[in-house]
Each structure stands twice: as structure tokens, then as C-alpha cells.
Coordinates of all heavy atoms in Angstrom, one line a residue:
M1 N 0.8 -1.2 0.0 CA 0.0 0.0 0.0 C 0.9 1.2 0.0 O 1.8 1.4 0.8 CB -0.9 0.0 1.2 CG -1.7 1.2 1.4 SD -2.9 0.9 2.7 CE -2.9 2.5 3.5
K2 N 0.6 2.1 -0.9 CA 1.4 3.3 -1.0 C 0.8 4.4 -0.1 O -0.4 4.6 -0.1 CB 1.5 3.8 -2.5 CG 2.4 5.0 -2.6 CD 2.6 5.3 -4.1 CE 3.5 6.6 -4.1 NZ 4.1 6.8 -5.3
I3 N 1.7 5.1 0.6 CA 1.2 6.1 1.5 C 1.2 7.4 0.7 O 2.2 7.8 0.0 CB 2.2 6.3 2.7 CG1 2.2 5.0 3.5 CG2 1.8 7.4 3.6 CD1 3.2 4.9 4.6
P4 N 0.1 8.2 0.8 CA 0.1 9.5 0.1 C 1.2 10.4 0.6 O 1.7 10.3 1.7 CB -1.3 10.1 0.6 CG -2.1 9.0 1.1 CD -1.1 7.9 1.6
G5 N 1.7 11.3 -0.3 CA 2.8 12.1 -0.1 C 2.9 12.8 1.2 O 3.9 12.8 1.9
N6 N 1.8 13.5 1.6 CA 1.7 14.2 2.8 C 1.9 13.3 4.1 O 2.6 13.7 5.0 CB 0.4 15.0 3.0 CG 0.4 16.2 2.0 OD1 1.5 16.6 1.5 ND2 -0.8 16.7 1.7
M7 N 1.3 12.1 4.0 CA 1.4 11.2 5.2 C 2.8 10.7 5.3 O 3.3 10.5 6.4 CB 0.4 10.1 5.0 CG -1.1 10.5 5.2 SD -1.4 11.1 6.8 CE -1.3 9.6 7.8
G8 N 3.4 10.4 4.2 CA 4.8 9.9 4.2 C 5.7 10.9 4.8 O 6.6 10.6 5.6
N9 N 5.5 12.2 4.4 CA 6.3 13.3 4.9 C 6.1 13.4 6.4 O 7.1 13.7 7.2 CB 6.0 14.6 4.2 CG 6.6 14.6 2.8 OD1 7.5 13.8 2.5 ND2 6.0 15.5 2.0
M10 N 4.9 13.3 6.9 CA 4.5 13.5 8.3 C 5.2 12.3 9.1 O 5.7 12.6 10.2 CB 3.0 13.4 8.5 CG 2.6 13.7 9.9 SD 3.2 15.3 10.4 CE 1.6 15.9 11.0
Q11 N 5.1 11.1 8.6 CA 5.8 10.0 9.3 C 7.3 10.2 9.4 O 7.9 10.0 10.4 CB 5.5 8.7 8.6 CG 4.0 8.2 8.8 CD 3.7 6.9 8.1 OE1 4.4 6.5 7.2 NE2 2.7 6.2 8.6
Q12 N 7.9 10.7 8.3 CA 9.3 10.9 8.3 C 9.6 12.0 9.3 O 10.6 11.9 10.0 CB 9.8 11.3 6.9 CG 11.3 11.6 6.8 CD 11.7 12.0 5.4 OE1 10.9 12.1 4.5 NE2 13.0 12.3 5.3
M13 N 8.8 13.1 9.4 CA 9.1 14.2 10.3 C 8.9 13.7 11.8 O 9.7 14.1 12.6 CB 8.1 15.3 10.1 CG 8.4 16.2 8.9 SD 7.2 17.5 8.5 CE 7.3 18.4 10.1
M14 N 8.0 12.8 12.0 CA 7.8 12.3 13.3 C 9.0 11.4 13.8 O 9.4 11.5 14.9 CB 6.5 11.4 13.4 CG 5.2 12.3 13.2 SD 5.0 13.6 14.5 CE 4.6 12.5 15.9
R15 N 9.5 10.6 12.8 CA 10.7 9.8 13.1 C 11.9 10.7 13.4 O 12.6 10.4 14.4 CB 11.0 8.8 12.0 CG 10.2 7.5 12.0 CD 10.8 6.5 11.0 NE 10.8 6.9 9.7 CZ 9.8 6.8 8.8 NH1 8.7 6.2 9.2 NH2 9.9 7.2 7.6
Q16 N 12.0 11.7 12.6 CA 13.1 12.6 12.8 C 13.0 13.3 14.2 O 14.0 13.5 14.9 CB 13.2 13.7 11.7 CG 14.3 14.6 11.8 CD 14.3 15.7 10.6 OE1 13.4 15.8 9.9 NE2 15.4 16.4 10.6
A17 N 11.8 13.8 14.5 CA 11.6 14.4 15.8 C 11.9 13.5 17.0 O 12.5 13.9 18.0 CB 10.1 14.9 15.9
Q18 N 11.5 12.2 16.8 CA 11.8 11.3 17.9 C 13.3 11.1 18.0 O 13.9 11.0 19.1 CB 11.1 9.9 17.6 CG 11.3 8.9 18.7 CD 10.6 7.6 18.4 OE1 10.0 7.4 17.4 NE2 10.6 6.7 19.4
Q19 N 14.0 11.0 16.9 CA 15.5 10.8 17.0 C 16.2 12.0 17.6 O 17.1 11.9 18.4 CB 16.1 10.6 15.6 CG 15.7 9.3 15.0 CD 16.0 9.2 13.5 OE1 16.3 10.2 12.8 NE2 16.0 7.9 12.9
V20 N 15.7 13.2 17.3 CA 16.2 14.4 17.8 C 16.0 14.5 19.3 O 16.8 14.8 20.1 CB 15.6 15.7 17.1 CG1 16.0 17.0 17.9 CG2 16.2 15.8 15.7
Q21 N 14.8 14.1 19.7 CA 14.4 14.0 21.2 C 15.3 13.1 21.9 O 15.8 13.4 23.0 CB 13.0 13.7 21.4 CG 12.5 13.6 22.8 CD 11.1 13.2 23.0 OE1 10.5 12.7 22.1 NE2 10.6 13.4 24.2
E22 N 15.6 11.9 21.4 CA 16.4 10.9 22.0 C 17.8 11.4 22.2 O 18.5 11.3 23.2 CB 16.4 9.6 21.3 CG 15.1 8.9 21.4 CD 15.0 7.7 20.4 OE1 15.9 7.4 19.7 OE2 13.9 7.0 20.4
K23 N 18.4 12.1 21.1 CA 19.7 12.6 21.1 C 19.8 13.8 22.1 O 20.7 13.9 22.9 CB 20.1 13.1 19.8 CG 21.5 13.6 19.7 CD 22.0 13.9 18.4 CE 23.5 14.4 18.5 NZ 24.2 14.6 17.5
L24 N 18.8 14.6 22.2 CA 18.7 15.7 23.1 C 18.7 15.2 24.6 O 19.5 15.7 25.4 CB 17.5 16.6 22.9 CG 17.3 17.8 23.7 CD1 18.5 18.8 23.5 CD2 16.0 18.5 23.4
Q25 N 17.9 14.2 24.9 CA 17.9 13.6 26.2 C 19.3 13.1 26.6 O 19.7 13.2 27.7 CB 16.9 12.5 26.3 CG 15.4 13.1 26.3 CD 14.4 12.0 26.2 OE1 14.7 10.8 25.9 NE2 13.2 12.4 26.5
Q26 N 20.0 12.4 25.6 CA 21.3 11.9 25.9 C 22.3 13.0 26.2 O 23.1 13.0 27.1 CB 21.8 11.1 24.7 CG 21.1 9.8 24.6 CD 21.5 9.1 23.2 OE1 22.2 9.6 22.4 NE2 21.0 7.9 23.0
E27 N 22.2 14.1 25.4 CA 23.1 15.2 25.7 C 22.8 16.0 27.0 O 23.7 16.4 27.7 CB 23.0 16.2 24.5 CG 23.7 15.6 23.2 CD 24.0 16.6 22.2 OE1 24.0 17.8 22.5 OE2 24.2 16.2 21.0
I28 N 21.5 16.1 27.3 CA 21.1 16.7 28.6 C 21.7 15.9 29.7 O 22.1 16.5 30.7 CB 19.6 17.0 28.6 CG1 19.2 18.1 27.7 CG2 19.2 17.3 30.1 CD1 17.7 18.3 27.5
A29 N 21.6 14.6 29.6 CA 22.1 13.8 30.7 C 23.6 14.0 30.9 O 24.1 13.8 32.0 CB 21.9 12.3 30.4
Q30 N 24.3 14.5 29.9 CA 25.8 14.7 30.0 C 26.1 16.1 30.6 O 27.3 16.3 31.0 CB 26.5 14.6 28.7 CG 26.3 13.2 28.0 CD 26.9 12.1 28.9 OE1 28.0 12.2 29.3 NE2 26.1 11.1 29.1
I31 N 25.1 17.0 30.8 CA 25.4 18.3 31.3 C 25.8 18.2 32.8 O 25.2 17.5 33.6 CB 24.2 19.2 31.2 CG1 23.9 19.5 29.7 CG2 24.4 20.5 32.0 CD1 22.6 20.2 29.5
K32 N 26.9 18.9 33.1 CA 27.3 19.0 34.5 C 27.7 20.5 34.7 O 28.4 21.1 33.9 CB 28.6 18.2 34.8 CG 28.4 16.7 34.5 CD 27.7 15.9 35.5 CE 27.6 14.4 35.3 NZ 26.7 13.9 34.4
V33 N 27.2 21.1 35.8 CA 27.5 22.5 36.1 C 27.9 22.6 37.5 O 27.6 21.7 38.4 CB 26.3 23.4 35.8 CG1 25.9 23.4 34.3 CG2 25.1 23.2 36.7
E34 N 28.7 23.7 37.8 CA 29.0 24.0 39.2 C 28.7 25.5 39.4 O 28.8 26.3 38.5 CB 30.5 23.8 39.4 CG 30.9 22.4 39.9 CD 32.3 22.4 40.5 OE1 33.0 23.4 40.7 OE2 32.7 21.2 40.8
A35 N 28.3 25.8 40.6 CA 28.0 27.1 41.0 C 28.5 27.3 42.4 O 28.4 26.4 43.2 CB 26.5 27.5 40.9
T36 N 28.9 28.6 42.7 CA 29.4 28.9 44.0 C 28.7 30.1 44.6 O 28.0 30.8 43.9 CB 30.9 29.2 44.0 OG1 31.1 30.4 43.2 CG2 31.7 28.0 43.4
A37 N 28.8 30.2 45.9 CA 28.3 31.3 46.6 C 29.3 31.7 47.7 O 30.1 30.9 48.2 CB 26.9 31.0 47.2
G38 N 29.2 32.9 48.2 CA 30.1 33.4 49.3 C 31.5 33.4 48.8 O 32.4 33.0 49.7
G39 N 31.8 33.7 47.6 CA 33.2 33.8 47.2 C 33.8 32.4 47.1 O 35.0 32.2 47.4
G40 N 33.0 31.4 46.9 CA 33.6 30.0 46.8 C 33.5 29.2 48.1 O 34.0 28.1 48.2
M41 N 32.8 29.8 49.1 CA 32.7 29.1 50.4 C 31.7 27.9 50.3 O 31.9 27.0 51.0 CB 32.2 30.1 51.5 CG 33.1 31.2 51.7 SD 34.8 30.7 52.1 CE 34.7 30.6 53.9
V42 N 30.8 28.0 49.4 CA 29.8 26.9 49.1 C 29.8 26.6 47.6 O 29.7 27.6 46.8 CB 28.4 27.3 49.6 CG1 27.4 26.2 49.1 CG2 28.4 27.5 51.1
T43 N 30.0 25.4 47.2 CA 30.0 25.0 45.8 C 29.0 23.8 45.6 O 29.0 22.9 46.4 CB 31.4 24.5 45.4 OG1 32.3 25.5 45.6 CG2 31.4 24.1 43.9
V44 N 28.2 24.0 44.6 CA 27.2 23.0 44.3 C 27.4 22.5 42.9 O 27.7 23.3 42.0 CB 25.7 23.6 44.3 CG1 24.7 22.8 43.7 CG2 25.4 24.0 45.8
A45 N 27.3 21.2 42.7 CA 27.4 20.6 41.4 C 26.0 20.0 41.0 O 25.4 19.3 41.9 CB 28.5 19.5 41.3
M46 N 25.6 20.1 39.8 CA 24.3 19.7 39.4 C 24.4 19.1 38.0 O 25.2 19.5 37.2 CB 23.3 20.9 39.4 CG 21.9 20.5 39.2 SD 20.8 22.0 39.3 CE 20.8 22.2 41.1
D47 N 23.5 18.1 37.7 CA 23.5 17.5 36.3 C 22.4 18.1 35.5 O 21.6 18.9 36.0 CB 23.5 16.0 36.4 CG 22.2 15.4 36.9 OD1 21.1 16.1 37.0 OD2 22.1 14.2 37.2
G48 N 22.3 17.6 34.3 CA 21.3 18.2 33.4 C 19.8 17.9 33.7 O 18.9 18.6 33.3
Q49 N 19.6 16.9 34.6 CA 18.2 16.6 35.1 C 17.9 17.3 36.4 O 17.0 17.1 37.0 CB 18.0 15.1 35.3 CG 17.8 14.3 34.0 CD 19.0 13.8 33.4 OE1 20.1 13.7 34.1 NE2 19.0 13.6 32.1
K50 N 18.9 18.3 36.7 CA 18.7 19.1 37.9 C 18.9 18.3 39.2 O 18.3 18.7 40.2 CB 17.5 19.9 37.9 CG 17.4 20.8 36.7 CD 16.1 21.6 36.6 CE 16.0 22.3 35.3 NZ 14.9 21.9 34.5
N51 N 19.6 17.2 39.1 CA 19.9 16.5 40.4 C 21.2 17.1 41.0 O 22.1 17.4 40.3 CB 20.2 15.0 40.0 CG 19.0 14.3 39.5 OD1 17.9 14.4 40.0 ND2 19.2 13.6 38.4
L52 N 21.1 17.2 42.3 CA 22.3 17.7 43.1 C 23.3 16.6 43.1 O 23.0 15.6 43.7 CB 21.8 18.2 44.4 CG 22.8 18.9 45.3 CD1 23.3 20.2 44.6 CD2 22.2 19.2 46.7
L53 N 24.5 16.9 42.6 CA 25.5 15.8 42.6 C 26.4 15.9 43.8 O 26.9 14.9 44.3 CB 26.3 15.9 41.3 CG 25.5 15.8 40.0 CD1 26.4 16.0 38.8 CD2 24.9 14.4 39.9
S54 N 26.8 17.2 44.2 CA 27.6 17.3 45.3 C 27.4 18.7 45.9 O 27.0 19.6 45.3 CB 29.1 17.1 44.9 OG 29.5 18.2 44.1
L55 N 27.8 18.8 47.2 CA 27.8 20.1 47.9 C 29.1 20.2 48.7 O 29.4 19.3 49.5 CB 26.5 20.1 48.8 CG 26.5 21.2 49.8 CD1 26.3 22.6 49.2 CD2 25.3 21.0 50.8
K56 N 29.8 21.2 48.5 CA 31.1 21.4 49.2 C 30.9 22.7 50.1 O 30.5 23.7 49.6 CB 32.3 21.6 48.3 CG 32.6 20.3 47.5 CD 33.7 20.5 46.5 CE 33.8 19.3 45.6 NZ 34.8 19.6 44.5
I57 N 31.3 22.6 51.3 CA 31.2 23.7 52.3 C 32.5 23.9 52.9 O 33.1 22.9 53.5 CB 30.1 23.5 53.3 CG1 28.7 23.3 52.7 CG2 30.1 24.6 54.3 CD1 27.6 22.8 53.6
E58 N 33.1 25.1 52.8 CA 34.3 25.4 53.5 C 34.1 25.5 55.0 O 33.1 26.0 55.4 CB 34.9 26.7 53.0 CG 35.3 26.6 51.5 CD 36.4 25.6 51.2 OE1 37.3 25.4 52.0 OE2 36.3 24.9 50.2
P59 N 35.0 24.9 55.8 CA 34.8 24.9 57.2 C 34.6 26.2 57.9 O 33.9 26.3 58.9 CB 36.1 24.3 57.8 CG 36.7 23.6 56.6 CD 36.2 24.3 55.4
E60 N 35.1 27.3 57.3 CA 35.0 28.6 57.9 C 33.5 29.1 58.1 O 33.2 29.9 58.9 CB 35.7 29.7 57.1 CG 37.2 29.4 56.9 CD 37.5 28.6 55.6 OE1 37.5 29.2 54.6 OE2 37.7 27.4 55.8
V61 N 32.6 28.6 57.2 CA 31.3 29.1 57.3 C 30.4 28.2 58.1 O 29.2 28.5 58.3 CB 30.7 29.3 55.8 CG1 31.4 30.4 55.1 CG2 30.6 28.0 55.1
A62 N 30.9 27.1 58.6 CA 30.1 26.2 59.4 C 29.5 26.8 60.7 O 28.5 26.3 61.2 CB 30.9 24.9 59.6
G63 N 30.2 27.8 61.2 CA 29.7 28.4 62.4 C 28.5 29.3 62.3 O 27.8 29.4 63.3
D64 N 28.3 29.9 61.2 CA 27.1 30.8 61.0 C 26.1 30.1 60.2 O 26.1 30.1 58.9 CB 27.6 32.1 60.3 CG 26.5 33.1 60.2 OD1 25.3 32.8 60.4 OD2 26.9 34.3 60.0
I65 N 25.1 29.4 60.8 CA 24.1 28.6 60.2 C 23.3 29.4 59.2 O 23.0 28.9 58.1 CB 23.3 27.8 61.2 CG1 24.1 26.9 62.1 CG2 22.1 27.1 60.6 CD1 24.8 25.8 61.3
E66 N 22.8 30.5 59.6 CA 21.9 31.3 58.7 C 22.6 31.7 57.5 O 22.1 31.6 56.4 CB 21.4 32.5 59.5 CG 20.3 32.2 60.5 CD 19.7 33.4 61.2 OE1 19.8 34.5 60.6 OE2 19.2 33.3 62.3
M67 N 23.9 32.2 57.6 CA 24.7 32.5 56.4 C 24.9 31.3 55.5 O 24.8 31.4 54.3 CB 26.0 33.2 56.8 CG 26.8 33.7 55.6 SD 28.3 34.6 56.0 CE 29.3 33.4 56.8
L68 N 25.2 30.2 56.2 CA 25.5 29.0 55.4 C 24.2 28.5 54.7 O 24.3 28.2 53.5 CB 25.9 27.9 56.4 CG 26.2 26.5 55.8 CD1 27.2 26.5 54.7 CD2 26.6 25.5 56.9
Q69 N 23.1 28.6 55.3 CA 21.8 28.2 54.6 C 21.6 29.1 53.4 O 21.2 28.7 52.3 CB 20.7 28.3 55.6 CG 20.7 27.3 56.6 CD 19.7 27.5 57.7 OE1 19.2 28.6 57.9 NE2 19.3 26.5 58.5
D70 N 21.8 30.4 53.6 CA 21.7 31.4 52.5 C 22.6 31.1 51.3 O 22.2 31.1 50.1 CB 21.9 32.8 52.9 CG 20.8 33.3 53.8 OD1 19.7 32.7 53.8 OD2 21.0 34.4 54.5
M71 N 23.9 30.7 51.6 CA 24.8 30.4 50.6 C 24.5 29.1 49.9 O 24.6 29.1 48.6 CB 26.2 30.3 51.2 CG 26.9 31.7 51.5 SD 28.6 31.5 51.8 CE 28.6 31.8 53.6
V72 N 24.0 28.1 50.6 CA 23.6 26.9 49.9 C 22.4 27.1 49.0 O 22.5 26.7 47.8 CB 23.2 25.8 51.0 CG1 22.6 24.6 50.3 CG2 24.5 25.3 51.7
L73 N 21.5 27.9 49.4 CA 20.3 28.2 48.6 C 20.8 29.0 47.3 O 20.3 28.8 46.2 CB 19.3 29.0 49.3 CG 18.5 28.2 50.3 CD1 17.6 29.1 51.2 CD2 17.7 27.1 49.7
A74 N 21.7 30.0 47.5 CA 22.2 30.8 46.4 C 22.9 30.0 45.4 O 22.7 30.1 44.2 CB 23.0 32.0 47.0
A75 N 23.8 29.1 45.9 CA 24.6 28.2 45.0 C 23.7 27.3 44.2 O 23.8 27.1 43.0 CB 25.6 27.5 45.8
H76 N 22.7 26.7 44.9 CA 21.7 25.8 44.3 C 21.0 26.6 43.2 O 20.8 26.1 42.1 CB 20.8 25.2 45.3 CG 19.8 24.2 44.7 ND1 18.6 24.6 44.2 CD2 19.9 22.9 44.5 CE1 18.0 23.6 43.7 NE2 18.8 22.5 43.9
S77 N 20.5 27.7 43.5 CA 19.7 28.5 42.6 C 20.5 28.9 41.3 O 20.1 28.8 40.2 CB 19.2 29.8 43.2 OG 18.5 30.6 42.4
E78 N 21.8 29.2 41.5 CA 22.7 29.6 40.4 C 22.9 28.3 39.5 O 22.9 28.4 38.3 CB 24.0 30.2 40.9 CG 24.9 30.6 39.8 CD 24.4 31.7 38.9 OE1 23.5 32.5 39.4 OE2 24.8 31.8 37.8
A79 N 23.2 27.2 40.2 CA 23.4 26.0 39.4 C 22.1 25.6 38.6 O 22.2 25.2 37.4 CB 23.7 24.8 40.4
F80 N 21.0 25.8 39.2 CA 19.7 25.5 38.5 C 19.6 26.4 37.2 O 19.3 25.9 36.1 CB 18.5 25.8 39.4 CG 17.2 25.3 38.9 CD1 16.7 24.1 39.2 CD2 16.4 26.2 38.2 CE1 15.5 23.6 38.8 CE2 15.2 25.7 37.7 CZ 14.7 24.5 38.0
K81 N 19.9 27.7 37.4 CA 19.9 28.6 36.2 C 20.9 28.2 35.2 O 20.6 28.3 34.0 CB 20.2 30.0 36.7 CG 19.1 30.7 37.5 CD 19.5 32.0 38.0 CE 18.5 32.6 39.0 NZ 19.0 33.9 39.5
K82 N 22.1 27.7 35.6 CA 23.1 27.3 34.6 C 22.6 26.1 33.8 O 22.8 26.0 32.6 CB 24.4 27.0 35.3 CG 25.2 28.2 35.7 CD 26.5 27.9 36.4 CE 27.3 29.1 36.7 NZ 28.6 28.7 37.2
V83 N 22.0 25.1 34.5 CA 21.4 24.0 33.8 C 20.3 24.4 32.8 O 20.3 23.9 31.7 CB 20.9 22.9 34.8 CG1 20.1 21.8 34.1 CG2 22.0 22.3 35.6
E84 N 19.4 25.3 33.2 CA 18.4 25.7 32.4 C 19.0 26.4 31.1 O 18.5 26.1 30.0 CB 17.5 26.8 33.1 CG 16.6 26.2 34.2 CD 15.4 25.5 33.6 OE1 14.7 26.1 32.8 OE2 15.2 24.3 34.0
E85 N 20.0 27.2 31.3 CA 20.6 27.8 30.1 C 21.3 26.8 29.2 O 21.2 26.9 28.0 CB 21.6 28.9 30.6 CG 22.3 29.6 29.4 CD 21.3 30.3 28.5 OE1 20.3 30.8 28.9 OE2 21.7 30.4 27.3
A86 N 22.0 25.9 29.8 CA 22.7 24.8 29.0 C 21.7 24.0 28.2 O 21.9 23.7 27.0 CB 23.5 23.9 29.9
V87 N 20.6 23.6 28.8 CA 19.5 22.9 28.1 C 18.9 23.7 27.0 O 18.7 23.2 25.9 CB 18.4 22.4 29.1 CG1 17.2 21.9 28.4 CG2 19.0 21.4 30.1
R88 N 18.7 25.0 27.3 CA 18.1 25.9 26.3 C 19.0 26.0 25.1 O 18.6 25.9 23.9 CB 17.8 27.3 26.9 CG 16.8 28.1 26.2 CD 16.4 29.4 26.9 NE 17.1 29.8 28.1 CZ 16.7 29.6 29.3 NH1 15.7 28.9 29.6 NH2 17.4 30.1 30.4
Q89 N 20.3 26.1 25.3 CA 21.3 26.2 24.2 C 21.3 24.9 23.4 O 21.3 24.9 22.2 CB 22.7 26.5 24.7 CG 22.8 27.9 25.2 CD 24.2 28.2 25.8 OE1 25.0 27.3 25.9 NE2 24.4 29.5 26.2
K90 N 21.3 23.8 24.1 CA 21.3 22.5 23.4 C 20.0 22.3 22.5 O 20.1 21.9 21.4 CB 21.4 21.3 24.4 CG 22.8 21.2 24.9 CD 23.2 19.8 25.2 CE 24.6 19.7 25.8 NZ 25.6 19.8 24.8
M91 N 18.9 22.7 23.1 CA 17.7 22.5 22.4 C 17.6 23.5 21.2 O 17.2 23.1 20.1 CB 16.5 22.8 23.3 CG 16.2 21.7 24.3 SD 14.8 22.1 25.3 CE 13.5 21.8 24.1
G92 N 18.1 24.7 21.4 CA 18.1 25.6 20.3 C 19.0 25.2 19.1 O 18.6 25.2 18.0
G93 N 20.1 24.6 19.5 CA 21.0 24.1 18.4 C 20.5 22.9 17.7 O 20.6 22.8 16.5
M94 N 19.9 22.0 18.4 CA 19.4 20.8 17.8 C 18.1 21.0 17.1 O 17.9 20.4 16.0 CB 19.3 19.7 18.9 CG 20.6 19.2 19.4 SD 20.3 17.8 20.5 CE 20.1 16.5 19.2
L95 N 17.2 21.7 17.6 CA 15.9 21.9 17.0 C 15.9 23.0 15.9 O 15.0 23.0 15.1 CB 14.9 22.2 18.1 CG 14.7 21.1 19.1 CD1 13.7 21.5 20.2 CD2 14.2 19.8 18.5
G96 N 16.9 23.8 16.0 CA 16.9 24.9 15.0 C 17.0 24.5 13.6 O 16.4 25.1 12.7
G97 N 17.6 23.3 13.3 CA 17.7 22.8 11.9 C 16.5 22.1 11.4 O 16.4 21.7 10.3
M98 N 15.5 21.9 12.3 CA 14.3 21.2 11.9 C 13.2 22.1 11.3 O 12.2 21.6 10.8 CB 13.7 20.4 13.1 CG 14.5 19.3 13.6 SD 13.7 18.3 14.8 CE 12.2 17.7 13.9
G99 N 13.4 23.4 11.4 CA 12.4 24.3 10.8 C 11.2 24.4 11.6 O 10.1 24.8 11.1
L100 N 11.3 24.1 12.9 CA 10.1 24.2 13.8 C 9.9 25.7 14.2 O 10.9 26.5 14.3 CB 10.3 23.4 15.1 CG 10.4 21.9 14.8 CD1 10.8 21.2 16.1 CD2 9.1 21.3 14.2
P101 N 8.7 26.1 14.5 CA 8.4 27.5 15.0 C 9.1 27.7 16.3 O 9.2 26.8 17.2 CB 6.9 27.6 15.1 CG 6.4 26.2 14.9 CD 7.5 25.3 14.4
P102 N 9.6 29.0 16.5 CA 10.3 29.3 17.8 C 9.3 29.1 18.9 O 8.1 29.4 18.8 CB 10.7 30.8 17.6 CG 10.5 31.1 16.2 CD 9.6 30.1 15.6
G103 N 9.8 28.7 20.1 CA 9.0 28.5 21.3 C 8.2 27.3 21.3 O 7.5 27.0 22.3
L104 N 8.3 26.4 20.3 CA 7.5 25.2 20.3 C 7.9 24.3 21.4 O 7.1 23.6 22.0 CB 7.6 24.5 18.9 CG 6.7 23.2 18.8 CD1 5.3 23.6 18.9 CD2 7.0 22.6 17.4
F105 N 9.2 24.2 21.7 CA 9.6 23.4 22.8 C 10.1 24.2 23.9 O 11.1 24.5 24.3 CB 10.7 22.4 22.4 CG 10.2 21.3 21.5 CD1 10.2 21.4 20.1 CD2 9.6 20.2 22.0 CE1 9.7 20.4 19.3 CE2 9.1 19.2 21.2 CZ 9.2 19.3 19.8

């Protein structure tokens, strides 16, 4: 059975979109970012799925709990922003060649 031209093109586009999505997910999984707060007193590492990979705290800030809490939150927030930007860049680069309308993903 022969598929009409438009349907064949649609199926091909769907396969291509699925391949791009799989490749994008693989690349996002490879993203690793670090962010610091307090001049490097707190360092957070995060992956592309926004999982916290590590938290490093310099001993000097351990005495001031409120300041330490603020620095951990600030470092985490910055790492989150870095992951979002890295994902946005990867998506823009990969999806840009497909001719999809901006903002679709």
C-alpha cells in the first residue's frame, strides 16, 4: 500500500523528531554544572536533570548557620539557572535545523 505524499512526509518528520528528542535527552544527561556562593565558600554541582551531585562547604562558614543556609540556597539557585541555560542552548542548536516554529519546545 502506497502512503500518500503528505502522510509519508509526516511520518518521516515524526521519526526525525523522535531521533532528535532521544539525542537531546542523551546530551542533557551529560550536562554538568558548578555554581558557588560566598566567594567560593559553598559549591554546588548539578547535572542536566537538575539532580544535586555534590555540595562542598568550606569549614569557615560552618559556624554561622543562617549565612550557610543562604549560601547553599544561592549556590543551588545559580546551578539551576546554569542547567536551564545549557539545556536551552542544546535545544536551540538541535531543534533549529528542523524548521520548527520558535518557542514550540
Side-chain angles (χ1 to χ4, degrees):
M1 177 171 140
K2 185 172 178 164
I3 299 173
N6 289 343
M7 289 299 289
N9 288 340
M10 183 63 124
Q11 287 178 339
Q12 182 181 358
M13 285 177 57
M14 294 299 288
R15 276 194 300 273
Q16 183 182 8
Q18 184 178 5
Q19 290 170 346
V20 168
Q21 181 182 11
E22 289 170 1
K23 184 172 180 174
L24 182 60
Q25 288 173 345
Q26 290 170 355
E27 289 195 19
I28 287 172
Q30 299 300 312
I31 293 173
K32 304 280 187 280
V33 301
E34 271 194 8
T36 62
M41 299 304 272
V42 173
T43 303
V44 167
M46 188 175 285
D47 68 14
Q49 281 89 22
K50 300 177 188 121
N51 295 310
L52 188 62
L53 300 174
S54 68
L55 169 65
K56 295 177 188 173
I57 301 172
E58 295 299 322
E60 302 90 81
V61 295
D64 187 342
I65 297 300
E66 286 183 25
M67 183 173 67
L68 177 57
Q69 289 170 342
D70 289 343
M71 282 192 253
V72 169
L73 288 174
H76 181 272
S77 179
E78 183 62 26
F80 191 92
K81 289 176 188 175
K82 286 182 175 185
V83 168
E84 289 283 307
E85 180 58 29
V87 168
R88 202 171 9 263
Q89 287 178 357
K90 287 214 180 281
M91 287 183 73
M94 292 188 75
L95 298 177
M98 289 186 66
L100 297 173
L104 183 62
F105 289 95

